[in-house]
Amino acid sequence: MISMQVLVILGCLLLGTRYGGMGLGLIGGIGLFILTFVFGLQPGKPPVDVMLTILAVIGCASVLQAAGGLNVMMQFAERILRRHPSFVTVLAPVTTWSLTFLCGTGHVVYTMFPIIYDIAIKQNIRPERPMAIASVAAQMGICASPVSVAVVSMVSILASGHGVGTPIGIIELLSIAIPASLTGVLAAALWSMRRGKDLDKDEEFQAKLKDPAQKEFIYGESQTLLNSKFSKEAYRATWIFFAAILVVVLFGAFPELRPSFGAPGKLKPLSMNLVIQMLMLIAGAVILITCKVNSREVPNGTVFKAGAVAIISVFGVAWMADTFFEAHFTLLKEALAGVVVQQPWTYAIVMFLTSKLVNSQAAALAAIAPLGVSLGVDPRMMVAFFPAVYGYFVLPTYPSDLACIGFDRSGTTRIGKFIINHSFLVPGLIGVGTGCLVGFVLVSLFM
């Protein structure tokens, strides 16, 4: 019976990935219905707290995008890249990682791809070198951003499981996740500097240049944001957003700044989950009111659309997974508790594989992290292996990877004939592997 239920869940996940994040969440509802009405399992609890936090963060970031704040950040990033074009293979991933760190979403990378390509091809640098790792770095930055869906989800999940070990807040999480994630990106970038053949030694590339039309297509016109002029409201929106992030960090670092609630003698500071929701709503409101934002344009932005998809994805997948795990928790605990507690790296592998199945860091966390807390996995180890939540680079099906391939007009960033031998696999493995290793070392030394 359990094996059939597992097949239902896997079938829904595999079918859902064919239709993207929205399909993943909606088809998760089919799985939930089958588990409840066919197998008689009591429905679990949908991750309402996580979904509300995502909604608040995306609301603020969407208003920021409509105000032009994201373009301000990307123009600054381009200026750095063009000042040091020969180091584009290292600077490009650091730039995309930083943009994700600031904005909380990897979807800001799309505007950077044509800029990175233009710089690389004009320097006769194989575009695959900076572009593939830039795409990977944008996704790795998610687990280091204080306003990303994955981080706020992890904070919420660890807070709900505070009875296991020492409570871990956003500051403790980011103090490990930021250096671990960034070190992983740098390690993959250094490897990428020598990957593939130089363009003058690449027979396939040189053959394309013999066709004047192909050569014109490959070198084409430069794309840039440097000549763009932004309004003072766009800059104001950017600073308002940065201020909100700073306040989030301050409240996380100093719990005494938060009001406390509870019975006398058992007062507890207000949950950071709620603090993040409040501050993101406030920041979005201030930007909307003071920066001349056309509210009708907010839902049309890529950030809003990606956020809506993330909410649906988390809703369906997490609810379906929680229904299964709650129904069989005793059995799962007997079978897995000893293994994941004594060998926590197995938790990282499960998280990594689940991330690939669901193509979402937030959805993977919502499905697996609560199980880790329930099974008694040391929260410190969950923090150490946080980078393992990014596993969907294994197959080149994620939108940003596909977009990266499309923007590389030279054809060096590609999917191999065996599918698995694509441009993102090795940088992803190096980045995630190094991030987990550094995270484990930092946790062992300082937590």
Side-chain angles (χ1 to χ4, degrees):
M1 189 68 73
I2 292 180
S3 59
M4 293 181 65
Q5 294 169 14
V6 171
L7 288 176
V8 168
I9 293 173
L10 291 176
C12 289
L13 294 178
L14 293 173
L15 180 61
T17 55
R18 296 180 59 187
Y19 297 94
M22 179 69 75
L24 191 65
L26 296 175
I27 293 172
I30 296 176
L32 175 64
F33 182 89
I34 294 173
L35 292 177
T36 302
F37 284 84
V38 177
F39 294 101
L41 303 187
Q42 181 178 345
K45 297 178 181 178
V48 176
D49 288 344
V50 173
M51 292 164 58
L52 290 177
T53 304
I54 295 172
L55 192 61
V57 171
I58 294 303
C60 179
S62 300
V63 175
L64 173 70
Q65 183 179 36
L70 288 185
N71 286 333
V72 170
M73 295 183 202
M74 285 183 282
Q75 185 187 65
F76 179 76
E78 181 184 355
R79 190 172 289 118
I80 294 174
L81 289 176
R82 292 195 183 277
R83 283 178 181 172
H84 309 281
S86 58
F87 297 101
V88 67
T89 304
V90 173
L91 290 178
V94 171
T95 299
T96 56
W97 181 92
S98 300
L99 286 171
T100 299
F101 171 80
L102 292 172
C103 302
T105 172
H107 293 287
V108 295
V109 75
Y110 296 113
T111 304
M112 295 305 301
F113 282 144
I115 295 169
I116 295 169
Y117 172 81
D118 183 65
I119 295 171
I121 200 70
K122 296 297 176 15
Q123 290 290 316
N124 280 324
I125 295 173
R126 185 181 183 87
E128 177 189 35
R129 293 173 179 173
M131 292 189 73
I133 179 56
S135 182
V136 168
Q139 300 305 313
M140 289 193 64
I142 290 174
C143 66
S145 171
V147 290
S148 74
V149 174
V151 168
V152 296
S153 298
M154 189 66 163
V155 170
S156 177
I157 290 166
L158 290 176
S160 67
H162 60 81
V164 183
T166 304
I168 293 176
I170 192 169
I171 296 300
E172 291 80 8
L173 176 61
L174 293 179
S175 66
I176 302 298
I178 290 175
S181 174
L182 184 56
T183 303
V185 167
L186 291 173
L190 292 174
W191 175 85
S192 297
M193 293 183 71
R194 304 301 301 173
R195 74 174 306 179
K197 296 180 180 179
D198 292 334
L199 291 180
D200 59 351
K201 299 175 183 177
D202 189 326
E203 297 85 357
E204 184 178 346
F205 177 78
Q206 291 300 318
K208 291 180 180 179
L209 295 185
K210 293 178 181 179
D211 182 348
Q214 278 275 47
K215 185 174 182 179
E216 174 64 22
F217 173 72
I218 289 172
Y219 284 92
E221 296 182 356
S222 298
Q223 297 193 40
T224 179
L225 288 171
L226 294 183
N227 299 323
S228 301
K229 301 294 183 181
F230 303 117
S231 65
K232 61 181 181 181
E233 287 81 12
Y235 289 96
R236 184 186 303 154
T238 304
W239 286 113
I240 292 170
F241 186 70
F242 286 165
I245 295 176
L246 178 60
V247 175
V248 167
V249 173
L250 287 175
F251 276 121
F254 303 101
E256 59 272 17
L257 295 177
R258 291 177 257 155
S260 297
F261 301 95
K266 296 183 179 180
L267 295 177
K268 291 183 179 180
L270 182 66
S271 165
M272 273 304 297
N273 203 30
L274 296 177
V275 171
I276 292 172
Q277 292 175 23
M278 293 178 189
L279 290 173
M280 288 297 101
L281 290 174
I282 291 171
V286 173
I287 294 172
L288 184 67
I289 294 169
T290 65
C291 299
K292 299 180 180 179
V293 177
N294 184 351
S295 58
R296 294 181 180 179
E297 292 298 320
V298 174
N300 297 325
T302 55
V303 172
F304 185 90
K305 293 177 181 177
V309 170
I311 291 173
I312 297 295
S313 177
V314 168
F315 184 28
V317 171
W319 197 5
M320 176 179 66
D322 189 73
T323 297
F324 175 80
F325 291 140
E326 283 296 317
H328 304 292
F329 176 71
T330 303
L331 179 62
L332 289 170
K333 185 173 183 179
E334 292 175 354
L336 300 176
V339 177
V340 296
V341 171
Q342 296 178 16
Q343 303 178 44
W345 56 268
T346 57
Y347 163 84
I349 292 177
V350 172
M351 180 68 78
F352 182 83
L353 295 176
T354 303
S355 173
K356 175 56 243 170
L357 280 175
V358 301
N359 262 3
S360 166
Q361 296 186 33
L365 275 169
I368 301 302
L371 178 64
V373 171
S374 300
L375 291 175
V377 177
D378 188 340
R380 296 176 304 167
M381 291 298 101
M382 295 175 67
V383 171
F385 296 124
F386 194 23
V389 76
Y390 172 45
Y392 44 83
F393 64 85
V394 173
L395 292 178
T397 57
Y398 199 70
S400 59
D401 292 340
L402 296 175
C404 182
I405 293 171
F407 280 115
D408 184 357
R409 301 194 300 269
S410 71
T412 57
T413 307
R414 54 191 169 187
I415 301 172
K417 62 180 180 180
F418 300 110
I419 307 299
I420 193 70
N421 58 329
H422 55 83
S423 296
F424 312 97
L425 181 64
V426 177
L429 290 173
I430 292 174
V432 172
T434 302
C436 288
L437 178 61
V438 172
F440 180 78
V441 171
L442 292 175
V443 165
S444 300
L445 292 175
F446 302 111
M447 289 188 76

